[in-house]
Amino acid sequence: MVGLPSAPLLNGPMSQQNDTPDVRNPWIVDTRELGRRAGLSRTIQRTAPTAVEWGVPDVIVVPKGAEVELDLLLESVVEGVLVTGSAAVRTTGACSRCLDPIDDEVEVELTELFAYPDSTTDETTDEDEVMRLVDDRIDLEPLVRDAVVLALPQVPLCREDCQGLCPDCGGKWADLEPGHGHETIDPRWAALVERFDDSSSGGPGRQA
């Protein structure tokens, strides 16, 4: 199972014999067929499932096992392999105003260089600054996951004009009668109102 890496390095499933990424993982791309001559390119269209939930729990997430649609172009450049394209996946969550469930889709544009080992980029950048190839293979999951999570709305809404909930009774404003409201009494007047009500109804405060 692919976990969340501590840094944006290749961290996909590995074979039991060595640290070579497992090409059976749909997130792993073998670039040996592409070649290293600058200008060569290859398109990739595939579906890859999420191994864990992405996003903010109880707000909006990409569920575990969701199918991510990948439409990518791999280009061989001097310093590595340039990946561009898009990724799309369904999201689920709750409206931040009325708490209704939300089922939506997020699509992100991707542009990332995966550096060759011993390239100038590899030797002059920190590990968390650029992604790298391992044995001519790249792991797309950290790239896609980070882009998708950043694209998720911080305040998800079922619709832009959602009115939310009545703060007094919790009912949805969209479902309540026109003019719905709750009478409130200033605490400073509450005792006087109660005494007046008792007097009007013939209670102890009423005089003969």
Side-chain angles (χ1 to χ4, degrees):
M1 178 179 294
V2 180
L4 293 177
S6 57
L9 302 176
L10 190 148
N11 194 30
M14 304 295 176
S15 63
Q16 296 181 353
Q17 291 77 17
N18 52 49
D19 291 336
T20 300
D22 188 349
V23 294
R24 294 171 298 179
N25 181 342
W27 291 105
I28 304 299
V29 177
D30 190 340
T31 67
R32 287 177 295 182
E33 296 180 4
L34 175 64
R36 289 199 176 190
R37 183 164 60 86
L40 297 176
S41 63
R42 173 190 172 193
T43 59
I44 292 179
Q45 293 179 323
R46 65 174 62 172
T47 300
T50 59
V52 295
E53 185 179 83
W54 299 349
V56 182
D58 301 323
V59 179
I60 186 166
V61 299
V62 174
K64 176 181 178 181
E67 299 289 338
V68 183
E69 300 294 334
L70 303 173
D71 186 0
L72 305 172
L73 174 66
L74 274 60
E75 298 178 88
S76 180
V77 296
V78 174
E79 291 296 303
V81 175
L82 180 65
V83 177
T84 58
S86 63
V89 65
R90 302 297 300 181
T91 62
T92 61
C95 177
S96 61
R97 292 180 185 168
C98 70
L99 306 182
D100 275 0
I102 298 176
D103 184 12
D104 204 355
E105 181 179 84
V106 62
E107 182 172 353
V108 295
E109 297 297 320
L110 305 169
T111 301
E112 185 70 29
L113 174 67
F114 287 80
Y116 291 134
D118 302 323
S119 65
T120 300
T121 299
D122 176 43
E123 295 177 350
T124 58
T125 58
D126 295 333
E127 289 187 352
D128 59 352
E129 292 181 333
V130 66
M131 295 185 176
R132 291 164 168 80
L133 284 89
V134 174
D135 293 334
D136 294 311
R137 295 174 172 86
I138 59 179
D139 185 356
L140 296 169
E141 185 184 26
L143 168 64
V144 175
R145 182 200 63 220
D146 291 350
V148 168
V149 171
L150 287 175
L152 294 176
Q154 295 182 351
V155 184
L157 299 174
C158 60
R159 61 173 187 261
E160 290 297 326
D161 61 347
C162 176
Q163 301 176 37
L165 306 175
C166 172
D168 294 310
C169 66
K172 288 179 58 178
W173 282 115
D175 298 335
L176 298 174
E177 296 290 336
H180 172 82
H182 299 270
E183 183 180 0
T184 58
I185 300 176
D186 190 316
R188 293 171 296 179
W189 295 97
L192 182 61
V193 171
E194 182 179 355
R195 183 174 181 180
F196 177 79
D197 288 342
D198 288 343
S199 178
S200 298
S201 61
R206 184 177 181 180
Q207 297 181 358

